[in-house]
Amino acid sequence: MKDFEKLLRGGDLRSTGNGSIAVTMVESQHDFDQLFSLVYSSNRVVAMCAADAVEKISVKNPLLLATHKHEVLSLAESVTHKEIKWHIAQLIPLLCLNVEELRFSWDILTNWAMDKTNSNIVRVNSLQGLFELTKINPCNNIALTGLLLKLEKENIPSIKARVRKLQSGLQDNWPKY
């Protein structure tokens, strides 16, 4: 049994610590499940590093994340720590979502993006997550375009930069007739 918790302990919330080592240690679904369970750790550093490692692994192998779909969606509904939110926003689009789950995810990420009390990283990652969801359901392109126009007016450099990037990406995302 691999001791991911010991590996991820220490450090602070500004660093992913040994998360990249944890990524290389995951060799099976069991290892991934063990690492994923640490997203719930009461130690915020461990939880954040685990979420970061889970995201990095899931981007390359989303099938490992598939068994945790309901947990990810449940976390999206209940998470309060910004360090976990910004990773959840990136994990959601990697899931195979049904229509109801897609609508739920769209609403969560839209709320996170619009909520000025969220960190700018949460808001930017939520925008990116929404953009990724439009690839699944291009009908949301109009809604995302409207959201981007609203957020652009806030004049926050990191958000404005992501808005510009997503606006150009959305042009490529429109359905071709």
Side-chain angles (χ1 to χ4, degrees), residues 25-60:
M25 292 172 58
V26 172
E27 299 171 331
S28 66
Q29 183 70 52
H30 175 76
D31 293 343
F32 183 84
D33 297 345
Q34 189 182 348
L35 179 63
F36 188 92
S37 71
L38 294 175
V39 171
Y40 295 99
S41 175
S42 59
N43 180 324
R44 279 178 75 179
V45 171
V46 169
M48 189 271 302
C49 290
D52 181 68
V54 162
E55 180 189 340
K56 287 176 180 166
I57 293 165
S58 298
V59 165
K60 292 183 179 176

PDB file of all heavy atoms in Angstrom, residues 25-60:
ATOM      1  N   MET A  25       3.513   7.618  -9.050  1.00  0.00           N
ATOM      2  CA  MET A  25       3.314   6.409  -8.243  1.00  0.00           C
ATOM      3  C   MET A  25       2.003   5.686  -8.560  1.00  0.00           C
ATOM      4  O   MET A  25       1.825   4.532  -8.185  1.00  0.00           O
ATOM      5  CB  MET A  25       3.351   6.758  -6.754  1.00  0.00           C
ATOM      6  CG  MET A  25       4.716   7.190  -6.253  1.00  0.00           C
ATOM      7  SD  MET A  25       4.673   7.819  -4.554  1.00  0.00           S
ATOM      8  CE  MET A  25       4.006   6.434  -3.656  1.00  0.00           C
ATOM      9  N   VAL A  26       1.088   6.362  -9.223  1.00  0.00           N
ATOM     10  CA  VAL A  26      -0.216   5.747  -9.527  1.00  0.00           C
ATOM     11  C   VAL A  26      -0.052   4.807 -10.712  1.00  0.00           C
ATOM     12  O   VAL A  26       0.230   5.230 -11.827  1.00  0.00           O
ATOM     13  CB  VAL A  26      -1.288   6.819  -9.802  1.00  0.00           C
ATOM     14  CG1 VAL A  26      -2.572   6.193 -10.301  1.00  0.00           C
ATOM     15  CG2 VAL A  26      -1.542   7.631  -8.544  1.00  0.00           C
ATOM     16  N   GLU A  27      -0.238   3.528 -10.424  1.00  0.00           N
ATOM     17  CA  GLU A  27      -0.054   2.500 -11.448  1.00  0.00           C
ATOM     18  C   GLU A  27      -1.316   1.682 -11.701  1.00  0.00           C
ATOM     19  O   GLU A  27      -1.327   0.820 -12.573  1.00  0.00           O
ATOM     20  CB  GLU A  27       1.073   1.549 -11.025  1.00  0.00           C
ATOM     21  CG  GLU A  27       2.412   2.255 -10.871  1.00  0.00           C
ATOM     22  CD  GLU A  27       3.479   1.383 -10.253  1.00  0.00           C
ATOM     23  OE1 GLU A  27       3.135   0.470  -9.454  1.00  0.00           O
ATOM     24  OE2 GLU A  27       4.654   1.610 -10.563  1.00  0.00           O
ATOM     25  N   SER A  28      -2.378   1.955 -10.928  1.00  0.00           N
ATOM     26  CA  SER A  28      -3.598   1.159 -11.059  1.00  0.00           C
ATOM     27  C   SER A  28      -4.797   1.968 -10.584  1.00  0.00           C
ATOM     28  O   SER A  28      -4.640   3.036  -9.976  1.00  0.00           O
ATOM     29  CB  SER A  28      -3.482  -0.110 -10.197  1.00  0.00           C
ATOM     30  OG  SER A  28      -3.449   0.246  -8.821  1.00  0.00           O
ATOM     31  N   GLN A  29      -5.984   1.427 -10.837  1.00  0.00           N
ATOM     32  CA  GLN A  29      -7.209   2.058 -10.342  1.00  0.00           C
ATOM     33  C   GLN A  29      -7.174   2.126  -8.824  1.00  0.00           C
ATOM     34  O   GLN A  29      -7.575   3.126  -8.225  1.00  0.00           O
ATOM     35  CB  GLN A  29      -8.443   1.292 -10.816  1.00  0.00           C
ATOM     36  CG  GLN A  29      -9.763   1.926 -10.393  1.00  0.00           C
ATOM     37  CD  GLN A  29     -10.051   3.225 -11.123  1.00  0.00           C
ATOM     38  OE1 GLN A  29     -10.006   3.284 -12.339  1.00  0.00           O
ATOM     39  NE2 GLN A  29     -10.346   4.285 -10.379  1.00  0.00           N
ATOM     40  N   HIS A  30      -6.665   1.081  -8.187  1.00  0.00           N
ATOM     41  CA  HIS A  30      -6.582   1.049  -6.722  1.00  0.00           C
ATOM     42  C   HIS A  30      -5.711   2.197  -6.207  1.00  0.00           C
ATOM     43  O   HIS A  30      -6.085   2.882  -5.248  1.00  0.00           O
ATOM     44  CB  HIS A  30      -6.035  -0.295  -6.243  1.00  0.00           C
ATOM     45  CG  HIS A  30      -5.825  -0.344  -4.763  1.00  0.00           C
ATOM     46  ND1 HIS A  30      -6.873  -0.475  -3.876  1.00  0.00           N
ATOM     47  CD2 HIS A  30      -4.696  -0.243  -4.019  1.00  0.00           C
ATOM     48  CE1 HIS A  30      -6.399  -0.465  -2.636  1.00  0.00           C
ATOM     49  NE2 HIS A  30      -5.081  -0.329  -2.697  1.00  0.00           N
ATOM     50  N   ASP A  31      -4.568   2.413  -6.834  1.00  0.00           N
ATOM     51  CA  ASP A  31      -3.696   3.522  -6.430  1.00  0.00           C
ATOM     52  C   ASP A  31      -4.420   4.855  -6.609  1.00  0.00           C
ATOM     53  O   ASP A  31      -4.364   5.724  -5.735  1.00  0.00           O
ATOM     54  CB  ASP A  31      -2.413   3.548  -7.271  1.00  0.00           C
ATOM     55  CG  ASP A  31      -1.491   2.370  -7.027  1.00  0.00           C
ATOM     56  OD1 ASP A  31      -1.641   1.676  -6.001  1.00  0.00           O
ATOM     57  OD2 ASP A  31      -0.608   2.144  -7.891  1.00  0.00           O
ATOM     58  N   PHE A  32      -5.082   5.010  -7.757  1.00  0.00           N
ATOM     59  CA  PHE A  32      -5.804   6.251  -8.029  1.00  0.00           C
ATOM     60  C   PHE A  32      -6.901   6.465  -6.987  1.00  0.00           C
ATOM     61  O   PHE A  32      -7.061   7.577  -6.473  1.00  0.00           O
ATOM     62  CB  PHE A  32      -6.408   6.220  -9.440  1.00  0.00           C
ATOM     63  CG  PHE A  32      -7.096   7.504  -9.812  1.00  0.00           C
ATOM     64  CD1 PHE A  32      -6.382   8.575 -10.322  1.00  0.00           C
ATOM     65  CD2 PHE A  32      -8.470   7.645  -9.644  1.00  0.00           C
ATOM     66  CE1 PHE A  32      -7.020   9.762 -10.666  1.00  0.00           C
ATOM     67  CE2 PHE A  32      -9.114   8.822  -9.983  1.00  0.00           C
ATOM     68  CZ  PHE A  32      -8.386   9.888 -10.498  1.00  0.00           C
ATOM     69  N   ASP A  33      -7.637   5.417  -6.661  1.00  0.00           N
ATOM     70  CA  ASP A  33      -8.712   5.506  -5.665  1.00  0.00           C
ATOM     71  C   ASP A  33      -8.164   5.941  -4.315  1.00  0.00           C
ATOM     72  O   ASP A  33      -8.763   6.762  -3.616  1.00  0.00           O
ATOM     73  CB  ASP A  33      -9.441   4.171  -5.527  1.00  0.00           C
ATOM     74  CG  ASP A  33     -10.151   3.738  -6.802  1.00  0.00           C
ATOM     75  OD1 ASP A  33     -10.326   4.570  -7.712  1.00  0.00           O
ATOM     76  OD2 ASP A  33     -10.508   2.546  -6.880  1.00  0.00           O
ATOM     77  N   GLN A  34      -7.029   5.381  -3.964  1.00  0.00           N
ATOM     78  CA  GLN A  34      -6.384   5.728  -2.699  1.00  0.00           C
ATOM     79  C   GLN A  34      -5.992   7.205  -2.691  1.00  0.00           C
ATOM     80  O   GLN A  34      -6.228   7.930  -1.710  1.00  0.00           O
ATOM     81  CB  GLN A  34      -5.157   4.835  -2.509  1.00  0.00           C
ATOM     82  CG  GLN A  34      -4.501   4.931  -1.163  1.00  0.00           C
ATOM     83  CD  GLN A  34      -3.265   4.031  -1.083  1.00  0.00           C
ATOM     84  OE1 GLN A  34      -3.021   3.185  -1.946  1.00  0.00           O
ATOM     85  NE2 GLN A  34      -2.482   4.240  -0.052  1.00  0.00           N
ATOM     86  N   LEU A  35      -5.415   7.676  -3.786  1.00  0.00           N
ATOM     87  CA  LEU A  35      -5.038   9.084  -3.903  1.00  0.00           C
ATOM     88  C   LEU A  35      -6.276   9.972  -3.894  1.00  0.00           C
ATOM     89  O   LEU A  35      -6.315  10.988  -3.197  1.00  0.00           O
ATOM     90  CB  LEU A  35      -4.234   9.297  -5.188  1.00  0.00           C
ATOM     91  CG  LEU A  35      -3.774  10.714  -5.484  1.00  0.00           C
ATOM     92  CD1 LEU A  35      -2.813  11.222  -4.406  1.00  0.00           C
ATOM     93  CD2 LEU A  35      -3.111  10.771  -6.864  1.00  0.00           C
ATOM     94  N   PHE A  36      -7.302   9.590  -4.646  1.00  0.00           N
ATOM     95  CA  PHE A  36      -8.534  10.381  -4.711  1.00  0.00           C
ATOM     96  C   PHE A  36      -9.149  10.561  -3.326  1.00  0.00           C
ATOM     97  O   PHE A  36      -9.662  11.633  -3.011  1.00  0.00           O
ATOM     98  CB  PHE A  36      -9.557   9.740  -5.650  1.00  0.00           C
ATOM     99  CG  PHE A  36     -10.752  10.616  -5.879  1.00  0.00           C
ATOM    100  CD1 PHE A  36     -10.778  11.500  -6.946  1.00  0.00           C
ATOM    101  CD2 PHE A  36     -11.841  10.584  -5.023  1.00  0.00           C
ATOM    102  CE1 PHE A  36     -11.869  12.335  -7.146  1.00  0.00           C
ATOM    103  CE2 PHE A  36     -12.936  11.408  -5.218  1.00  0.00           C
ATOM    104  CZ  PHE A  36     -12.952  12.295  -6.283  1.00  0.00           C
ATOM    105  N   SER A  37      -9.096   9.545  -2.489  1.00  0.00           N
ATOM    106  CA  SER A  37      -9.695   9.631  -1.149  1.00  0.00           C
ATOM    107  C   SER A  37      -9.079  10.762  -0.322  1.00  0.00           C
ATOM    108  O   SER A  37      -9.729  11.309   0.572  1.00  0.00           O
ATOM    109  CB  SER A  37      -9.569   8.296  -0.408  1.00  0.00           C
ATOM    110  OG  SER A  37      -8.235   8.057  -0.030  1.00  0.00           O
ATOM    111  N   LEU A  38      -7.860  11.158  -0.642  1.00  0.00           N
ATOM    112  CA  LEU A  38      -7.185  12.220   0.116  1.00  0.00           C
ATOM    113  C   LEU A  38      -7.707  13.609  -0.227  1.00  0.00           C
ATOM    114  O   LEU A  38      -7.413  14.568   0.480  1.00  0.00           O
ATOM    115  CB  LEU A  38      -5.672  12.144  -0.105  1.00  0.00           C
ATOM    116  CG  LEU A  38      -5.017  10.887   0.459  1.00  0.00           C
ATOM    117  CD1 LEU A  38      -3.542  10.851   0.094  1.00  0.00           C
ATOM    118  CD2 LEU A  38      -5.210  10.796   1.963  1.00  0.00           C
ATOM    119  N   VAL A  39      -8.510  13.722  -1.274  1.00  0.00           N
ATOM    120  CA  VAL A  39      -9.142  15.004  -1.586  1.00  0.00           C
ATOM    121  C   VAL A  39     -10.055  15.416  -0.426  1.00  0.00           C
ATOM    122  O   VAL A  39     -10.306  16.599  -0.216  1.00  0.00           O
ATOM    123  CB  VAL A  39      -9.914  14.918  -2.922  1.00  0.00           C
ATOM    124  CG1 VAL A  39     -10.746  16.149  -3.176  1.00  0.00           C
ATOM    125  CG2 VAL A  39      -8.942  14.678  -4.066  1.00  0.00           C
ATOM    126  N   TYR A  40     -10.503  14.436   0.350  1.00  0.00           N
ATOM    127  CA  TYR A  40     -11.380  14.691   1.501  1.00  0.00           C
ATOM    128  C   TYR A  40     -10.607  14.925   2.803  1.00  0.00           C
ATOM    129  O   TYR A  40     -11.214  15.093   3.856  1.00  0.00           O
ATOM    130  CB  TYR A  40     -12.326  13.507   1.713  1.00  0.00           C
ATOM    131  CG  TYR A  40     -13.298  13.288   0.595  1.00  0.00           C
ATOM    132  CD1 TYR A  40     -13.048  12.317  -0.382  1.00  0.00           C
ATOM    133  CD2 TYR A  40     -14.463  14.025   0.495  1.00  0.00           C
ATOM    134  CE1 TYR A  40     -13.948  12.102  -1.412  1.00  0.00           C
ATOM    135  CE2 TYR A  40     -15.364  13.821  -0.534  1.00  0.00           C
ATOM    136  CZ  TYR A  40     -15.094  12.858  -1.482  1.00  0.00           C
ATOM    137  OH  TYR A  40     -15.975  12.649  -2.503  1.00  0.00           O
ATOM    138  N   SER A  41      -9.293  14.937   2.749  1.00  0.00           N
ATOM    139  CA  SER A  41      -8.476  15.078   3.962  1.00  0.00           C
ATOM    140  C   SER A  41      -8.813  16.372   4.701  1.00  0.00           C
ATOM    141  O   SER A  41      -9.065  17.414   4.085  1.00  0.00           O
ATOM    142  CB  SER A  41      -6.991  15.076   3.579  1.00  0.00           C
ATOM    143  OG  SER A  41      -6.191  15.326   4.715  1.00  0.00           O
ATOM    144  N   SER A  42      -8.773  16.302   6.020  1.00  0.00           N
ATOM    145  CA  SER A  42      -8.982  17.504   6.825  1.00  0.00           C
ATOM    146  C   SER A  42      -7.755  18.412   6.774  1.00  0.00           C
ATOM    147  O   SER A  42      -7.831  19.589   7.112  1.00  0.00           O
ATOM    148  CB  SER A  42      -9.307  17.132   8.269  1.00  0.00           C
ATOM    149  OG  SER A  42      -8.249  16.369   8.818  1.00  0.00           O
ATOM    150  N   ASN A  43      -6.639  17.873   6.332  1.00  0.00           N
ATOM    151  CA  ASN A  43      -5.422  18.658   6.138  1.00  0.00           C
ATOM    152  C   ASN A  43      -5.525  19.309   4.758  1.00  0.00           C
ATOM    153  O   ASN A  43      -5.457  18.632   3.733  1.00  0.00           O
ATOM    154  CB  ASN A  43      -4.201  17.732   6.229  1.00  0.00           C
ATOM    155  CG  ASN A  43      -2.883  18.457   6.045  1.00  0.00           C
ATOM    156  OD1 ASN A  43      -2.774  19.393   5.255  1.00  0.00           O
ATOM    157  ND2 ASN A  43      -1.874  18.013   6.763  1.00  0.00           N
ATOM    158  N   ARG A  44      -5.693  20.617   4.719  1.00  0.00           N
ATOM    159  CA  ARG A  44      -5.921  21.316   3.451  1.00  0.00           C
ATOM    160  C   ARG A  44      -4.777  21.153   2.463  1.00  0.00           C
ATOM    161  O   ARG A  44      -4.995  21.092   1.257  1.00  0.00           O
ATOM    162  CB  ARG A  44      -6.167  22.806   3.693  1.00  0.00           C
ATOM    163  CG  ARG A  44      -7.597  23.100   4.099  1.00  0.00           C
ATOM    164  CD  ARG A  44      -7.822  24.557   4.381  1.00  0.00           C
ATOM    165  NE  ARG A  44      -7.886  25.353   3.171  1.00  0.00           N
ATOM    166  CZ  ARG A  44      -8.096  26.664   3.165  1.00  0.00           C
ATOM    167  NH1 ARG A  44      -8.258  27.310   4.297  1.00  0.00           N
ATOM    168  NH2 ARG A  44      -8.144  27.322   2.032  1.00  0.00           N
ATOM    169  N   VAL A  45      -3.555  21.073   2.967  1.00  0.00           N
ATOM    170  CA  VAL A  45      -2.407  20.895   2.078  1.00  0.00           C
ATOM    171  C   VAL A  45      -2.476  19.530   1.404  1.00  0.00           C
ATOM    172  O   VAL A  45      -2.298  19.411   0.190  1.00  0.00           O
ATOM    173  CB  VAL A  45      -1.074  21.074   2.847  1.00  0.00           C
ATOM    174  CG1 VAL A  45       0.115  20.678   1.979  1.00  0.00           C
ATOM    175  CG2 VAL A  45      -0.929  22.501   3.340  1.00  0.00           C
ATOM    176  N   VAL A  46      -2.765  18.500   2.182  1.00  0.00           N
ATOM    177  CA  VAL A  46      -2.883  17.151   1.633  1.00  0.00           C
ATOM    178  C   VAL A  46      -4.018  17.106   0.614  1.00  0.00           C
ATOM    179  O   VAL A  46      -3.865  16.574  -0.489  1.00  0.00           O
ATOM    180  CB  VAL A  46      -3.104  16.106   2.749  1.00  0.00           C
ATOM    181  CG1 VAL A  46      -3.488  14.743   2.179  1.00  0.00           C
ATOM    182  CG2 VAL A  46      -1.853  15.986   3.623  1.00  0.00           C
ATOM    183  N   ALA A  47      -5.168  17.678   0.967  1.00  0.00           N
ATOM    184  CA  ALA A  47      -6.332  17.668   0.080  1.00  0.00           C
ATOM    185  C   ALA A  47      -6.021  18.392  -1.233  1.00  0.00           C
ATOM    186  O   ALA A  47      -6.346  17.899  -2.321  1.00  0.00           O
ATOM    187  CB  ALA A  47      -7.537  18.296   0.772  1.00  0.00           C
ATOM    188  N   MET A  48      -5.376  19.544  -1.148  1.00  0.00           N
ATOM    189  CA  MET A  48      -5.055  20.325  -2.335  1.00  0.00           C
ATOM    190  C   MET A  48      -4.050  19.594  -3.210  1.00  0.00           C
ATOM    191  O   MET A  48      -4.222  19.511  -4.438  1.00  0.00           O
ATOM    192  CB  MET A  48      -4.510  21.698  -1.937  1.00  0.00           C
ATOM    193  CG  MET A  48      -4.346  22.662  -3.093  1.00  0.00           C
ATOM    194  SD  MET A  48      -2.752  22.638  -3.964  1.00  0.00           S
ATOM    195  CE  MET A  48      -1.616  22.992  -2.681  1.00  0.00           C
ATOM    196  N   CYS A  49      -3.005  19.045  -2.614  1.00  0.00           N
ATOM    197  CA  CYS A  49      -1.995  18.314  -3.396  1.00  0.00           C
ATOM    198  C   CYS A  49      -2.602  17.068  -4.038  1.00  0.00           C
ATOM    199  O   CYS A  49      -2.283  16.734  -5.181  1.00  0.00           O
ATOM    200  CB  CYS A  49      -0.808  17.943  -2.514  1.00  0.00           C
ATOM    201  SG  CYS A  49       0.196  19.360  -2.017  1.00  0.00           S
ATOM    202  N   ALA A  50      -3.492  16.402  -3.318  1.00  0.00           N
ATOM    203  CA  ALA A  50      -4.165  15.221  -3.867  1.00  0.00           C
ATOM    204  C   ALA A  50      -5.048  15.628  -5.047  1.00  0.00           C
ATOM    205  O   ALA A  50      -5.045  14.970  -6.088  1.00  0.00           O
ATOM    206  CB  ALA A  50      -4.986  14.516  -2.791  1.00  0.00           C
ATOM    207  N   ALA A  51      -5.790  16.718  -4.902  1.00  0.00           N
ATOM    208  CA  ALA A  51      -6.662  17.189  -5.983  1.00  0.00           C
ATOM    209  C   ALA A  51      -5.837  17.560  -7.209  1.00  0.00           C
ATOM    210  O   ALA A  51      -6.223  17.247  -8.347  1.00  0.00           O
ATOM    211  CB  ALA A  51      -7.499  18.376  -5.511  1.00  0.00           C
ATOM    212  N   ASP A  52      -4.699  18.185  -6.994  1.00  0.00           N
ATOM    213  CA  ASP A  52      -3.825  18.551  -8.109  1.00  0.00           C
ATOM    214  C   ASP A  52      -3.305  17.298  -8.823  1.00  0.00           C
ATOM    215  O   ASP A  52      -3.323  17.225 -10.054  1.00  0.00           O
ATOM    216  CB  ASP A  52      -2.653  19.393  -7.598  1.00  0.00           C
ATOM    217  CG  ASP A  52      -1.726  19.808  -8.711  1.00  0.00           C
ATOM    218  OD1 ASP A  52      -2.140  20.625  -9.561  1.00  0.00           O
ATOM    219  OD2 ASP A  52      -0.581  19.297  -8.750  1.00  0.00           O
ATOM    220  N   ALA A  53      -2.870  16.317  -8.060  1.00  0.00           N
ATOM    221  CA  ALA A  53      -2.361  15.067  -8.646  1.00  0.00           C
ATOM    222  C   ALA A  53      -3.478  14.320  -9.379  1.00  0.00           C
ATOM    223  O   ALA A  53      -3.273  13.805 -10.484  1.00  0.00           O
ATOM    224  CB  ALA A  53      -1.746  14.193  -7.558  1.00  0.00           C
ATOM    225  N   VAL A  54      -4.664  14.278  -8.781  1.00  0.00           N
ATOM    226  CA  VAL A  54      -5.814  13.621  -9.412  1.00  0.00           C
ATOM    227  C   VAL A  54      -6.127  14.291 -10.751  1.00  0.00           C
ATOM    228  O   VAL A  54      -6.380  13.617 -11.752  1.00  0.00           O
ATOM    229  CB  VAL A  54      -7.046  13.640  -8.471  1.00  0.00           C
ATOM    230  CG1 VAL A  54      -8.336  13.389  -9.230  1.00  0.00           C
ATOM    231  CG2 VAL A  54      -6.864  12.631  -7.349  1.00  0.00           C
ATOM    232  N   GLU A  55      -6.083  15.614 -10.784  1.00  0.00           N
ATOM    233  CA  GLU A  55      -6.342  16.336 -12.034  1.00  0.00           C
ATOM    234  C   GLU A  55      -5.301  15.987 -13.088  1.00  0.00           C
ATOM    235  O   GLU A  55      -5.640  15.681 -14.244  1.00  0.00           O
ATOM    236  CB  GLU A  55      -6.356  17.844 -11.794  1.00  0.00           C
ATOM    237  CG  GLU A  55      -6.607  18.638 -13.051  1.00  0.00           C
ATOM    238  CD  GLU A  55      -6.411  20.128 -12.878  1.00  0.00           C
ATOM    239  OE1 GLU A  55      -6.440  20.641 -11.745  1.00  0.00           O
ATOM    240  OE2 GLU A  55      -6.208  20.792 -13.921  1.00  0.00           O
ATOM    241  N   LYS A  56      -4.028  16.001 -12.716  1.00  0.00           N
ATOM    242  CA  LYS A  56      -2.963  15.707 -13.681  1.00  0.00           C
ATOM    243  C   LYS A  56      -3.097  14.297 -14.246  1.00  0.00           C
ATOM    244  O   LYS A  56      -2.921  14.086 -15.453  1.00  0.00           O
ATOM    245  CB  LYS A  56      -1.596  15.881 -13.018  1.00  0.00           C
ATOM    246  CG  LYS A  56      -1.240  17.330 -12.787  1.00  0.00           C
ATOM    247  CD  LYS A  56       0.068  17.485 -12.057  1.00  0.00           C
ATOM    248  CE  LYS A  56       0.367  18.966 -11.851  1.00  0.00           C
ATOM    249  NZ  LYS A  56       1.430  19.192 -10.894  1.00  0.00           N
ATOM    250  N   ILE A  57      -3.425  13.359 -13.407  1.00  0.00           N
ATOM    251  CA  ILE A  57      -3.592  11.971 -13.852  1.00  0.00           C
ATOM    252  C   ILE A  57      -4.827  11.850 -14.738  1.00  0.00           C
ATOM    253  O   ILE A  57      -4.803  11.190 -15.779  1.00  0.00           O
ATOM    254  CB  ILE A  57      -3.703  11.027 -12.636  1.00  0.00           C
ATOM    255  CG1 ILE A  57      -2.379  10.996 -11.879  1.00  0.00           C
ATOM    256  CG2 ILE A  57      -4.122   9.628 -13.056  1.00  0.00           C
ATOM    257  CD1 ILE A  57      -2.473  10.405 -10.480  1.00  0.00           C
ATOM    258  N   SER A  58      -5.906  12.492 -14.335  1.00  0.00           N
ATOM    259  CA  SER A  58      -7.184  12.380 -15.044  1.00  0.00           C
ATOM    260  C   SER A  58      -7.140  12.981 -16.440  1.00  0.00           C
ATOM    261  O   SER A  58      -7.829  12.506 -17.345  1.00  0.00           O
ATOM    262  CB  SER A  58      -8.296  13.037 -14.232  1.00  0.00           C
ATOM    263  OG  SER A  58      -8.441  12.375 -12.995  1.00  0.00           O
ATOM    264  N   VAL A  59      -6.360  14.027 -16.629  1.00  0.00           N
ATOM    265  CA  VAL A  59      -6.227  14.624 -17.954  1.00  0.00           C
ATOM    266  C   VAL A  59      -5.659  13.594 -18.928  1.00  0.00           C
ATOM    267  O   VAL A  59      -6.095  13.503 -20.066  1.00  0.00           O
ATOM    268  CB  VAL A  59      -5.340  15.887 -17.895  1.00  0.00           C
ATOM    269  CG1 VAL A  59      -4.880  16.324 -19.274  1.00  0.00           C
ATOM    270  CG2 VAL A  59      -6.075  17.020 -17.199  1.00  0.00           C
ATOM    271  N   LYS A  60      -4.717  12.806 -18.453  1.00  0.00           N
ATOM    272  CA  LYS A  60      -4.092  11.792 -19.316  1.00  0.00           C
ATOM    273  C   LYS A  60      -4.897  10.497 -19.372  1.00  0.00           C
ATOM    274  O   LYS A  60      -4.850   9.775 -20.354  1.00  0.00           O
ATOM    275  CB  LYS A  60      -2.677  11.497 -18.828  1.00  0.00           C
ATOM    276  CG  LYS A  60      -1.744  12.670 -19.036  1.00  0.00           C
ATOM    277  CD  LYS A  60      -0.340  12.345 -18.631  1.00  0.00           C
ATOM    278  CE  LYS A  60       0.535  13.563 -18.903  1.00  0.00           C
ATOM    279  NZ  LYS A  60       1.887  13.388 -18.462  1.00  0.00           N
TER     280      LYS A  60
END
